[in-house]
Amino acid sequence: QVQLVESGGGLVQPGGSLRLSCAASGFTFSSAAMTWYRQAPGKERELVATITIGGSTNYADSVKGRFTISRDNAKNTVYLQMNSLKPEDTAVYYCNAVTHYSHYWGQGTQVTVSS
């Protein structure tokens, strides 16, 4: 079965860093565009960063210059490096995969930025 498993979340202080990982299985990872979304309490789910099959990236304005999305096709894993974290980055972060045929979601990992 298809699985997307996020990890790496936790509690960090403002200005700190975290790296999230999303391990994929059950589909052809190299043929999927990968996206990180996040959802804070009481807010809509929002797109954070996307990486295409070819490796092109796109970011929400709120995270540009601070976050970096990358992928390792040999490991079937997508990453989100988060630097200079702010309290407003606090949210559940979800991994999403899109292929020509379907789309998939992970369960999410909690990121809390607080002093």
Side-chain angles (χ1 to χ4, degrees):
Q1 63 278 356
V2 170
Q3 281 194 300
L4 295 174
V5 181
E6 300 97 334
S7 62
L11 174 65
V12 293
Q13 295 184 203
S17 298
L18 280 176
R19 189 174 81 154
L20 306 184
S21 298
C22 173
S25 60
F27 66 98
T28 304
F29 179 81
S30 61
S31 296
M34 303 298 299
T35 301
W36 286 97
Y37 289 80
R38 68 186 182 188
Q39 187 167 27
K43 296 184 178 180
E44 289 278 318
R45 185 175 297 182
E46 65 172 337
L47 188 150
V48 177
T50 293
I51 186 164
T52 68
I53 294 167
S56 298
T57 59
N58 191 49
Y59 300 90
D61 288 342
S62 59
V63 307
K64 282 181 180 176
R66 300 188 297 122
F67 290 12
T68 303
I69 188 171
S70 61
R71 66 192 297 159
D72 187 338
N73 287 348
K75 296 182 177 180
N76 286 177
T77 301
V78 63
Y79 304 95
L80 185 68
Q81 178 66 47
M82 305 185 294
N83 299 325
S84 302
L85 283 161
K86 304 174 180 180
E88 48 263 49
D89 295 319
T90 295
V92 177
Y93 284 71
Y94 297 92
C95 181
N96 170 267
V98 175
T99 71
H100 183 74
Y101 308 101
S102 194
H103 61 276
Y104 313 105
W105 289 93
Q107 293 278 73
T109 185
Q110 176 72 50
V111 172
T112 302
V113 185
S114 177
S115 59

